[in-house]
Amino acid sequence: MITYLQHLSFWDWLALATLLLILEVFGAGGYLLWIGLVAVTVGALTYLFPDLPWAWQFLLFAVLAAVSALLWWRHQQRARRLRG
């Protein structure tokens, strides 16, 4: 398993992004859309910096996914307050 993680490529991140975006179609309320876009971002960074260690890739994904989920939640709360 560790060997697989050490050789993550941008294709792996794009595959994860595709899976998340497909799951979003089934009604996740927008959260998987943003996390899928985070996976695309990490994939792009992995393409630009192919020597980026897997631990940094996962850390970057975790931080950006948490930030995107928090921002989406705040947006949803604000929209809910405006509706009534």
Side-chain angles (χ1 to χ4, degrees):
M1 181 69 171
I2 194 75
T3 305
Y4 176 75
L5 291 176
Q6 290 173 339
H7 299 328
L8 279 177
S9 72
F10 68 96
W11 290 113
D12 297 310
W13 289 106
L14 293 181
L16 175 63
T18 302
L19 176 66
L20 290 169
L21 294 174
I22 288 170
L23 290 174
E24 175 62 35
V25 171
F26 295 109
Y31 288 99
L32 293 181
L33 170 70
W34 298 109
I35 296 174
L37 292 177
V38 167
V40 169
T41 303
V42 174
L45 289 172
T46 303
Y47 180 76
L48 294 172
F49 305 104
D51 293 331
L52 189 65
W54 67 269
W56 281 100
Q57 292 176 35
F58 276 95
L59 180 64
L60 186 61
F61 179 74
V63 168
L64 291 176
V67 168
S68 71
L70 177 65
L71 290 174
W72 181 248
W73 179 79
R74 287 183 61 205
H75 171 74
Q76 293 288 74
Q77 293 299 317
R78 193 174 318 126
R80 202 171 287 145
R81 268 186 268 130
L82 291 174
R83 276 186 259 145

